[in-house]
Amino acid sequence: MRETNREWYFVERPEGEPTLDSFEFRESDVPEPRHGELLVRVRYLSVDPYMRGRMRDAESYAEPWDVGDTLKGGVVGEVVESESDRYEAGDYVTGNGAWADYAVLDADEAAPVDTSVAGLPAYLGVLGMPGRTAYFGLLEVGEPKPGDTVVVSGAAGAVGSVVGQIAKRNGCRVVGFAGSDEKTDWLTDELGFDAAINYKSTDDYAAALDDAAPGGVDVYFDNVGGPITDAVFTKLNLDARVAVCGQIAHYNDEGAPTGPRKLPMLIAPRAKVQGLLVGDYATRFEEAAERLGSWVDAGELEHRETVVEGLENAPDAFLGLFSGDNIGKQVVKVSEE
Amino acid sequence: MRETNREWYFVERPEGEPTLDSFEFRESDVPEPRHGELLVRVRYLSVDPYMRGRMRDAESYAEPWDVGDTLKGGVVGEVVESESDRYEAGDYVTGNGAWADYAVLDADEAAPVDTSVAGLPAYLGVLGMPGRTAYFGLLEVGEPKPGDTVVVSGAAGAVGSVVGQIAKRNGCRVVGFAGSDEKTDWLTDELGFDAAINYKSTDDYAAALDDAAPGGVDVYFDNVGGPITDAVFTKLNLDARVAVCGQIAHYNDEGAPTGPRKLPMLIAPRAKVQGLLVGDYATRFEEAAERLGSWVDAGELEHRETVVEGLENAPDAFLGLFSGDNIGKQVVKVSEE
């Protein structure tokens, strides 16, 4: 075990697109776990778009970070010291912890990791919060029926890639928007999407949808917002469902973004649009873990992680989310397994 | 019976705010009902905001009017000739017919009128399509629970005034937006609204809502759109429901109107926004008719009609909807009872 710890601190609220100025890397002592806590050697940490919201000094679904706080999020790692009888040294766990070499996790809120099902990074993606978000968001808000056309924005991301594959399992036609040919190829060639649109290679998303979703859109799972979403709303079928999971196109906006009004578009199709937070389904997380785990185990649910090496590069990995650097789940590798 | 008929024709598609140029008044023969039809002496006809949509050459929920068509909508009147055994001469009925002295109605689609419950114009308002829209839209899409705060735009209109009263019956705090002090007084003094905001006497709807709905908004029944709706969306509580019934602020817009993006506002409260058309509840119209009728009969559901006199003034009555001339249901009196 190292003698010192390294941690990332949040030191300045960004305006608009965040920069490295918001982050500071500091050395500290390795923390000591208290009763019920675990000291974990972090192997991988998660950077997620929703964290941009925590950088604002405004109440929202995720508690805002105070300037001076340690940055925290999903981590996966090895227990090196346990003050709980639920885990012992050597166990692999995932939970919410600091962007650090060593993090203290609440044992009650940590979850065990089974490395025979998938590698550690998958527990921050398909078998972690993003996978659960896809599972509940699509099934409970999107309510896909066989034969439906399901459109996903941010389709090559951690959530979108799982949404599309679950929709395929449910007998839907699936169309994804993503930001490179490498991503769209992954969607159609590996994940079984029926069509994928590289939104950086066309401006006319409505025409692209006419080709890719000629029967209109029954379910839209939105991770992005902006012009992609504007186009999809003009194609909603009768009784369409829209799950608003994320709006990454707007996370860096200062002030209220404007765009085409969508409420007038909802009347004729009687469409339903609903915001979604995975925490609302906490009582059913075990169900999601079992089903997602069994699909991954059976090789029926593909997943991919984009790995940035080194704790020192964690802020860069976070900033890369806003330029779409990642395919699948973006993680940071903190230490060797 | 008169020997000639007078009818209104739709002769020119409007751009933006409609004018009298879209309408032409012509004399014709009194039509003859065919098998299964009724010839009705029209007493009152209905003008409704949704008719603006029918003036566009675009498919929507209501079939577009062709240039040269007779204008049609809800009418109530007396059967003068029946080719159906469901009704006989002298019966009062309501249904879909021409803006004319005499209209031919399909007997199967007509409904009987009980003048002991309410006067004829009420069958175009609280006991007609607007009342049913309020009933199903509030109860099925808004899902009000006792203690909820329900906000209604267009609250002094045919639909909004019924929405607010049903919400009060269900134990809700009710706040209405309307466009004059006379209207807001009616809402609070006669209909039992807890608060009403005259949107023409303030620009700061958000501040007005902070006063009128200090606990935030659980249900929003939207007939209007535009800046009122923009403000309400910033006050949505956890699990809020928004019923999008109408968007009269945008019916005269050419091209897609723009405004603050609302999807980012839905995530934190997990709010649901849904478009609404009353025709979806057709199998339950009898339930609505019975309940609304019994409440009106018992004096528990107030209603009001604004009457424009004379068939020749029907287009003016329609145009007045967009300047908010009506309190309650706007009707046109075509002939004396």
Side-chain angles (χ1 to χ4, degrees):
Chain A
M1 199 166 116
R2 298 169 62 119
E3 303 227 324
T4 58
N5 198 17
R6 298 175 303 162
E7 291 186 292
W8 278 105
Y9 286 81
F10 177 58
V11 294
E12 189 183 299
R13 295 200 189 282
E15 284 191 27
E17 179 117 11
T19 68
L20 292 176
D21 292 343
S22 287
F23 304 89
E24 199 175 290
F25 205 30
R26 295 186 199 152
E27 292 211 344
S28 59
D29 292 336
V30 174
E32 293 196 11
R34 287 175 296 192
H35 182 71
E37 292 182 339
L38 312 169
L39 180 67
V40 170
R41 177 71 173 110
V42 178
R43 298 293 196 212
Y44 292 89
L45 68 83
S46 177
V47 290
D48 300 276
Y50 82 87
M51 292 171 171
R52 179 63 182 87
R54 304 191 67 174
M55 294 183 157
R56 289 183 197 280
D57 187 19
E59 265 200 60
S60 184
Y61 50 92
E63 215 184 316
W65 282 320
D66 284 329
V67 170
D69 277 358
T70 311
L71 289 154
K72 278 190 166 186
V75 299
V76 60
E78 184 185 347
V79 176
V80 291
E81 205 182 318
S82 173
E83 295 296 333
S84 157
D85 36 17
R86 302 184 63 160
Y87 298 98
E88 52 190 43
D91 286 345
Y92 283 96
V93 296
T94 182
N96 196 45
W99 291 13
D101 293 309
Y102 294 92
V104 169
L105 269 61
D106 186 327
D108 287 345
E109 292 175 5
V113 161
D114 180 353
T115 51
S116 75
V117 172
L120 293 179
Y123 284 87
L124 300 176
V126 62
L127 299 179
M129 183 271 288
R132 292 193 291 269
T133 302
Y135 180 88
F136 292 110
L138 178 67
L139 297 179
E140 299 301 320
V141 181
E143 299 176 89
K145 296 185 294 291
D148 277 353
T149 294
V150 175
V151 173
V152 188
S153 61
V159 175
S161 58
V162 179
V163 167
Q165 291 181 86
I166 299 177
K168 283 306 298 178
R169 293 185 74 88
N170 282 33
C172 301
R173 176 178 175 82
V174 177
V175 177
F177 279 91
S180 72
D181 288 343
E182 188 187 356
K183 290 178 180 178
T184 55
D185 287 349
W186 182 55
L187 297 177
T188 52
D189 300 349
E190 309 283 329
L191 305 192
F193 280 53
D194 296 283
I197 299 164
N198 178 351
Y199 68 84
K200 291 186 179 164
S201 70
T202 177
D203 282 335
D204 193 345
Y205 304 147
L209 277 168
D210 286 337
D211 287 341
V217 178
D218 300 296
V219 177
Y220 177 43
F221 193 103
D222 189 13
N223 295 301
V224 174
I228 292 171
T229 295
D230 297 339
V232 176
F233 267 70
T234 66
K235 308 291 179 190
L236 297 179
N237 286 340
L238 189 66
D239 292 325
R241 287 83 67 199
V242 177
V244 186
C245 178
Q247 295 279 286
I248 195 171
H250 306 298
Y251 288 167
N252 293 328
D253 287 343
E254 295 295 327
T258 59
R261 288 185 179 276
K262 296 188 176 57
L263 269 50
M265 303 177 191
L266 301 183
I267 299 177
R270 290 82 116 182
K272 181 187 81 172
V273 183
Q274 192 162 3
L276 145 72
L277 282 185
V278 66
D280 292 341
Y281 303 94
T283 57
R284 293 173 57 196
F285 279 180
E286 226 164 296
E287 167 198 330
E290 271 174 33
R291 300 193 75 182
L292 292 163
S294 72
W295 295 335
V296 168
D297 203 28
E300 296 169 11
L301 181 58
E302 299 287 329
H303 61 97
R304 189 159 157 179
E305 296 86 27
T306 298
V307 181
V308 161
E309 300 274 342
L311 178 60
E312 61 278 13
N313 296 315
D316 290 291
F318 172 73
L319 300 180
L321 294 170
F322 298 96
S323 37
D325 291 353
N326 56 306
I327 300 189
K329 177 70 187 115
Q330 179 67 59
V331 297
V332 177
K333 186 174 182 178
V334 177
S335 59
E336 288 296 331
E337 290 178 61
Chain B
M1 198 167 115
R2 299 168 63 118
E3 303 226 324
T4 58
N5 197 18
R6 297 175 303 161
E7 293 186 290
W8 278 105
Y9 287 81
F10 177 58
V11 295
E12 189 182 298
R13 295 199 188 282
E15 284 192 25
E17 180 117 10
T19 67
L20 292 176
D21 291 343
S22 288
F23 303 88
E24 198 174 291
F25 205 29
R26 297 187 196 150
E27 291 211 344
S28 59
D29 292 336
V30 174
E32 293 196 10
R34 287 175 295 191
H35 182 70
E37 292 182 339
L38 311 169
L39 180 67
V40 170
R41 177 73 173 109
V42 178
R43 299 293 197 210
Y44 293 89
L45 68 84
S46 178
V47 290
D48 299 276
Y50 81 86
M51 292 171 171
R52 179 63 182 86
R54 304 192 66 175
M55 294 182 157
R56 288 182 199 280
D57 187 18
E59 264 200 62
S60 185
Y61 50 91
E63 214 184 317
W65 281 321
D66 284 330
V67 170
D69 278 357
T70 312
L71 289 154
K72 280 191 165 185
V75 299
V76 60
E78 185 185 349
V79 176
V80 291
E81 205 181 319
S82 174
E83 295 295 335
S84 157
D85 37 16
R86 303 185 62 160
Y87 298 98
E88 53 189 40
D91 286 346
Y92 282 95
V93 295
T94 181
N96 196 47
W99 292 13
D101 293 307
Y102 293 91
V104 169
L105 269 60
D106 186 327
D108 287 345
E109 291 175 4
V113 160
D114 180 353
T115 51
S116 74
V117 172
L120 294 179
Y123 284 87
L124 301 176
V126 61
L127 300 179
M129 184 271 288
R132 292 192 291 270
T133 302
Y135 180 89
F136 292 110
L138 177 68
L139 297 178
E140 298 301 320
V141 181
E143 300 176 88
K145 296 184 294 290
D148 278 352
T149 294
V150 175
V151 174
V152 188
S153 60
V159 175
S161 58
V162 179
V163 167
Q165 292 181 85
I166 299 177
K168 284 305 300 177
R169 292 185 75 88
N170 282 33
C172 301
R173 176 178 176 82
V174 178
V175 177
F177 279 91
S180 73
D181 288 343
E182 188 187 357
K183 290 178 180 180
T184 55
D185 288 349
W186 182 54
L187 298 177
T188 52
D189 300 349
E190 308 283 329
L191 306 192
F193 280 54
D194 297 282
I197 299 163
N198 177 351
Y199 68 84
K200 290 185 179 164
S201 72
T202 177
D203 282 335
D204 193 346
Y205 305 147
L209 277 169
D210 286 337
D211 287 340
V217 178
D218 300 297
V219 178
Y220 177 43
F221 193 104
D222 190 13
N223 295 301
V224 175
I228 292 171
T229 296
D230 297 340
V232 176
F233 267 71
T234 66
K235 309 292 179 189
L236 297 178
N237 285 340
L238 190 65
D239 292 325
R241 285 83 66 200
V242 176
V244 185
C245 178
Q247 295 279 284
I248 195 171
H250 305 299
Y251 289 168
N252 292 328
D253 287 343
E254 296 295 329
T258 59
R261 287 184 179 275
K262 297 189 175 58
L263 269 49
M265 304 176 189
L266 301 183
I267 299 177
R270 288 82 115 182
K272 182 187 80 172
V273 183
Q274 193 162 2
L276 145 71
L277 282 185
V278 66
D280 292 341
Y281 303 95
T283 57
R284 292 174 56 197
F285 278 178
E286 226 164 294
E287 166 198 331
E290 271 174 33
R291 300 192 76 182
L292 292 163
S294 72
W295 296 336
V296 168
D297 204 27
E300 296 169 9
L301 181 59
E302 299 287 330
H303 61 97
R304 189 159 156 180
E305 295 86 26
T306 298
V307 180
V308 161
E309 300 274 342
L311 177 61
E312 61 279 15
N313 295 316
D316 290 291
F318 173 72
L319 300 180
L321 295 171
F322 298 96
S323 38
D325 291 353
N326 56 306
I327 300 189
K329 178 68 188 117
Q330 180 66 58
V331 297
V332 177
K333 185 174 182 177
V334 177
S335 59
E336 288 295 332
E337 290 180 62

